[in-house]
Amino acid sequence: MEIHKVDTSDPRDVERFVQFPFRLYRDCPQWVPPLVSSARKQLDRERHFFYSHSDADFFLALQGGKVVGRIAVLEPRKRNAYRGRRGAFFYLFEAVEDIEVARALFAAAFDWARSRGLGEMSGPEGFAAGDALGALVEGFEHRPAMGVAYNYAYYDGFIRDAGFRKQTDYLSCYLPGDIQLPERFRRIAEKVKERRGFKVLRFRTKDELRAIAPRVIEAYNAAFVENRDFVPITGEDAVKVADRLISLTRPDLVKVVAKGEQIVGFLLGFPDVSAALRRCKGRLYPFGWALLLWEFRRTRWINFNGAGILPQYRGLGANAVLYYEMFKTFKERGFLHADLVQINEQNTKMMQELEALGADFYKAHRIYERRL
């Protein structure tokens, strides 16, 4: 077996890395391909903003010249500087069901990280906020939400064999279209808005979203600052992340709770276009863009992937306002299915509240960690 370091300046090498999952999951009905142009951009050192402050390399496992596995290994310098650590991420790991392939790929990743003086590794973790987190460990029979990873069940064993242990799980839950929000939630939400002076900001255009995006990013940083591995989104990263999220949503699916001029909480909804991505095989041309646009407007699936409340407003009813707005969005826009995506299992309060509303936690993605 040969481990080959990808030459990211060689389009043919990049294509081998990008295309491997398409062959690996060719007969898997649950797998949803990424947008090929976005997958290529992750290896583009000139165009992806990650490389303005950090670094990464990519490895292929070859048997008889045929790709049988791949892995990316990242040095997130911005995160390391903020956290005061010397860590690496692994990401985009894929392999045929052969433990020796996985061992060879992780050995290459470990050597790369150690050569840079990095003493720990975690993953799967990506290039920026909003990238898919974790390896799927529960819910293999279900299609993933848009932008969330799917992998075969044997990956967990391969990763643990490489010396990793669980760091945390991110859980996703399902809400059916016929679910009814208890009337008490509506009453609580209305009373809270009146008593606390909360108001819900709604948006009609993407220009309005762009105008408020810096304030939402600021609220995001404040809402999650206590999380174990939090890193604030700042500078060019903030601009690029906001642009990407705005491109994936509709203005009417974004809700912001404010008190005066301060943002108290936010809720981000995204039309799920996974079905179109499967039909166009991740390619925009020649007709993929039309399929994606049609699905964007007509899909009956919505993903809620991004909700937060500032710490000082938790326990004051802002969560009830957000849940009420979530249900209103779900019902009024004609969606039949909702996926609440990747909630950290350490957020037990939110999980309990969602279970009380009838949510079914049906998928789990795991972040692993180990010393090097």
Side-chain angles (χ1 to χ4, degrees), residues 325-360:
E325 290 299 322
M326 179 182 72
F327 269 82
K328 283 178 61 179
T329 300
F330 187 18
K331 295 288 189 178
E332 292 174 0
R333 298 298 180 265
F335 293 104
L336 302 179
H337 312 276
D339 213 334
L340 281 71
V341 178
Q342 296 206 320
I343 301 161
N344 194 310
E345 66 177 352
Q346 297 167 18
N347 192 347
T348 54
K349 187 175 188 299
M350 184 176 186
M351 291 172 58
Q352 290 168 356
E353 291 170 343
L354 289 170
E355 285 178 336
L357 294 175
D360 174 24

Side-chain angles (χ1 to χ4, degrees), residues 124 133-145 148-153 155-156 166 168-174 339-345 351 360-368:
L133 288 170
L136 185 68
V137 294
E138 183 180 332
F140 298 98
E141 68 274 28
H142 301 292
R143 188 187 74 182
V148 177
Y150 183 88
N151 54 261
Y152 289 123
Y155 279 33
D156 176 60
K166 173 185 170 180
T168 192
D169 282 352
Y170 286 86
L171 309 179
S172 298
C173 63
Y174 172 76
D339 213 334
L340 281 71
V341 178
Q342 296 206 320
I343 301 161
N344 194 310
E345 66 177 352
M351 291 172 58
D360 174 24
F361 283 89
Y362 72 136
K363 288 180 284 192
H365 288 78
R366 180 161 297 166
I367 299 287
Y368 302 82

Side-chain angles (χ1 to χ4, degrees), residues 241-299:
V241 168
D243 286 347
R244 182 173 68 173
L245 295 180
I246 290 170
S247 73
L248 295 173
T249 191
R250 296 184 343 214
D252 59 325
L253 303 184
V254 176
K255 302 296 171 63
V256 171
V257 179
K259 182 178 175 65
E261 294 301 312
Q262 183 176 27
I263 291 179
V264 171
F266 52 88
L267 175 70
L268 310 180
F270 301 89
D272 191 307
V273 297
S274 297
L277 281 169
R278 284 186 59 85
R279 288 197 295 272
C280 71
K281 299 181 180 179
R283 297 184 180 276
L284 287 175
Y285 301 102
F287 304 114
W289 64 270
L291 290 170
L292 289 167
L293 182 60
W294 188 92
E295 190 75 12
F296 187 80
R297 294 172 175 172
R298 302 295 182 89
T299 181

Side-chain angles (χ1 to χ4, degrees), residues 2-22:
E2 174 192 356
I3 296 298
H4 170 73
K5 182 179 174 181
V6 173
D7 179 356
T8 56
S9 67
D10 182 347
R12 291 172 299 180
D13 233 12
V14 169
E15 204 64 12
R16 286 202 296 175
F17 189 91
V18 169
Q19 289 299 321
F20 174 63
F22 287 81

Side-chain angles (χ1 to χ4, degrees), residues 8-9 14 37-52 58 127:
T8 56
S9 67
V14 169
S37 57
S38 297
R40 290 178 183 141
K41 189 175 180 180
Q42 291 176 325
L43 284 76
D44 192 327
R45 300 178 188 278
E46 300 298 323
R47 296 178 59 227
H48 199 293
F49 61 89
F50 174 82
Y51 299 102
S52 67
F58 306 84
F127 299 89

Side-chain angles (χ1 to χ4, degrees), residues 68-273:
V68 291
R70 73 174 198 180
I71 197 168
V73 56
L74 287 61
E75 182 184 0
R77 294 170 185 158
K78 192 172 184 179
R79 175 255 202 181
N80 285 343
Y82 181 82
R83 303 297 301 183
R85 295 161 69 172
R86 296 287 295 164
F89 292 160
F90 77 89
Y91 196 48
L92 303 176
F93 168 68
E94 304 282 4
V96 298
E97 195 170 1
D98 182 339
I99 190 68
E100 296 304 326
V101 171
R103 287 171 177 168
L105 286 167
F106 278 113
F110 298 158
D111 287 346
W112 186 93
R114 290 181 182 123
S115 72
R116 292 165 174 251
L118 306 178
E120 59 188 39
M121 183 175 287
S122 61
E125 297 184 75
F127 299 89
D131 284 351
L133 288 170
L136 185 68
V137 294
E138 183 180 332
F140 298 98
E141 68 274 28
H142 301 292
R143 188 187 74 182
M146 182 182 67
V148 177
Y150 183 88
N151 54 261
Y152 289 123
Y154 59 80
Y155 279 33
D156 176 60
F158 283 5
I159 295 169
R160 288 187 289 106
D161 176 80
F164 289 92
R165 62 181 179 86
K166 173 185 170 180
Q167 181 189 96
T168 192
D169 282 352
Y170 286 86
L171 309 179
S172 298
C173 63
Y174 172 76
L175 288 171
D178 59 359
I179 197 168
Q180 297 297 319
L181 182 69
E183 175 62 19
R184 63 185 178 87
F185 263 85
R186 185 194 66 78
R187 294 196 303 268
I188 291 171
E190 294 299 337
K191 287 181 180 179
V192 165
K193 285 194 289 185
E194 182 179 349
R195 291 177 181 175
R196 303 291 183 186
F198 294 158
K199 59 182 177 181
V200 178
L201 307 182
R202 296 177 175 84
F203 307 95
R204 294 176 298 175
T205 68
K206 291 201 172 185
D207 283 342
E208 291 177 345
L209 291 182
R210 293 185 186 96
I212 202 169
R215 293 171 58 200
V216 175
I217 293 288
E218 183 180 333
Y220 169 92
N221 288 336
F224 296 109
V225 68
E226 298 172 357
N227 285 15
R228 175 183 178 185
D229 215 24
F230 168 78
V231 177
I233 307 174
T234 59
E236 184 185 4
D237 287 18
V239 174
K240 297 296 186 181
V241 168
D243 286 347
R244 182 173 68 173
L245 295 180
I246 290 170
S247 73
L248 295 173
T249 191
R250 296 184 343 214
D252 59 325
L253 303 184
V254 176
K255 302 296 171 63
V256 171
V257 179
K259 182 178 175 65
E261 294 301 312
Q262 183 176 27
I263 291 179
V264 171
F266 52 88
L267 175 70
L268 310 180
F270 301 89
D272 191 307
V273 297

